[in-house]
Amino acid sequence: MQQYLDLCRRIIDQGVWVENERTGKRCLTVINADLTYDVAAGEFPLITTRKSFYKAAIAEMLGYLRGYSSAAEFRAIGCNTWNANANENTAWLSNPHRTGEDDMGRVYGVQGRAWSKPDGGHVDQLKKIVDNLSRGIDDRGEILSFYNPGEFHMGCLRPCMHTHNFSLLGDTLYLNSFQRSCDVPLGLNFNQVQVYFLLAIMAQITGHKPGVAYHKIVNAHIYEDQLELIQNVQLKREPFPAPKLIINPEIKSLKDIETWVTLDDFQLEGYQHHDAIKYPFSV
């Protein structure tokens, strides 16, 4: 929580105005932010200075782990974040690779579960990682990458949080997650939840203890139309203590995640929060 607030203040105090070509908006920008989440200690990094919808963040990560490519699939599990990029992104609507309504193309989980090979086959990155970690193997390349420049033109959006690198030390699993770009007021808490959750669930299904998750953001920014709300509303609120995330202990395998897991398998204890803030979203 404090890391989030400190980054917001750093951007306001030190940020440089940058014109964003994709959105047509200006944003205050800083380069490089490093956040850490002690998953072993159960320090769930959910924002309390506004209401945060943690289940949608978990649902999106579940969709990535399942390899979803349709906004309709995400909606079905409780996540609406892909509706706009799939159906309102002007460049994507005219893209010949778009197959129809709700199609996202070859983004995020599609790359993680079916990375295209030159011979026409596919690589399931996630399954390799789960199989290795479940056998206690860390080959120093337990990397889940969604960033495939050769197929950017085949998807509605380049990945923002693009790479997750797992490391095993004894019986403890660690995670380094890398993010190229972050809309801090609107998107960061979503991403914080996902980094924490990804380490927690991967440790659980591979039979290890979770350690620390390290989250690196390269370009952290606040859009001009978000600045007044974050300065004069959110940053003036006092945070509450962090809640606890409870994951159903019956989730024991990648197959479980692929087949029967729902948002009902994830609950919070002790979540106190201030009122929601409706930050503008930039498509």
Side-chain angles (χ1 to χ4, degrees):
M1 178 70 222
Q2 193 58 48
Q3 295 177 95
Y4 174 93
L5 298 175
D6 288 346
L7 178 56
C8 292
R9 293 187 179 98
R10 178 187 160 203
I11 295 171
I12 292 169
D13 293 342
Q14 303 175 19
V16 175
W17 284 109
V18 174
E19 296 283 347
N20 184 261
E21 183 178 351
R22 182 178 65 86
T23 62
K25 298 179 182 179
R26 292 199 313 161
C27 49
L28 273 176
T29 303
V30 297
I31 300 301
N32 193 60
D34 291 293
L35 301 93
T36 62
Y37 318 122
D38 191 342
V39 182
E43 296 177 356
F44 191 51
L46 191 63
I47 295 304
T48 61
T49 49
R50 64 175 172 86
K51 185 176 182 181
S52 296
F53 300 94
Y54 77 99
K55 284 199 172 184
I58 290 176
E60 184 176 65
M61 183 56 71
L62 285 175
Y64 294 165
L65 298 180
R66 291 171 174 173
Y68 285 173
S69 62
S70 167
E73 292 176 302
F74 281 94
R75 284 198 302 274
I77 59 171
C79 175
N80 291 303
T81 58
W82 282 96
N83 294 341
N85 280 309
N87 298 308
E88 299 174 25
N89 182 328
T90 303
W92 178 238
L93 293 179
S94 61
N95 190 307
H97 292 283
R98 185 174 185 264
T99 62
E101 185 177 0
D102 287 323
D103 178 45
M104 296 158 47
R106 291 191 55 79
V107 298
Y108 282 93
V110 177
Q111 301 293 347
R113 300 306 308 268
W115 184 286
S116 295
K117 296 169 61 179
D119 63 7
H122 294 93
V123 175
D124 188 336
Q125 300 179 68
L126 181 62
K127 187 175 185 303
K128 175 262 185 185
I129 295 167
V130 171
D131 288 348
N132 274 4
L133 295 177
S134 297
R135 298 198 303 270
I137 297 170
D138 175 3
D139 67 5
R140 301 180 184 175
E142 308 302 346
I143 299 171
L144 177 65
S145 179
F146 303 141
Y147 205 79
N148 187 348
E151 294 190 346
F152 284 166
H153 65 293
M154 300 172 69
C156 64
L157 184 72
R158 288 182 300 162
C160 294
M161 191 157 60
H162 56 81
T163 300
H164 304 281
N165 194 150
F166 297 91
S167 300
L168 193 58
L169 291 179
D171 62 354
T172 302
L173 187 65
Y174 295 83
L175 173 63
N176 291 74
S177 293
F178 302 89
Q179 186 166 355
R180 65 172 180 85
S181 174
C182 184
D183 175 339
V184 171
L186 192 62
L188 177 54
N189 196 216
F190 214 78
N191 302 132
Q192 290 178 292
V193 167
Q194 291 178 329
V195 172
Y196 180 103
F197 168 74
L198 183 58
L199 176 56
I201 198 67
M202 286 289 284
Q204 182 164 312
I205 67 172
T206 60
H208 299 291
K209 295 188 298 186
V212 176
Y214 301 94
H215 183 185
K216 177 174 282 293
I217 302 167
V218 175
N219 183 304
H221 50 266
I222 298 173
Y223 282 100
E224 190 170 19
D225 56 7
Q226 300 169 332
L227 192 56
E228 183 177 354
L229 281 173
I230 199 158
Q231 277 186 300
N232 298 325
V233 180
Q234 188 165 0
L235 288 178
K236 293 186 181 298
R237 295 172 172 178
E238 287 295 321
F240 294 106
K244 300 289 185 182
L245 177 67
I246 309 300
I247 299 176
N248 183 351
E250 294 303 311
I251 304 173
K252 298 176 180 178
S253 68
L254 180 56
K255 185 176 181 181
D256 290 342
I257 291 174
E258 293 169 336
T259 55
W260 59 263
V261 171
T262 72
L263 292 186
D264 292 336
D265 294 297
F266 312 99
Q267 303 295 331
L268 278 191
E269 285 185 357
Y271 184 36
Q272 296 175 274
H273 57 80
H274 291 269
D275 292 340
I277 299 174
K278 193 173 180 58
Y279 282 111
F281 174 65
S282 299
V283 179

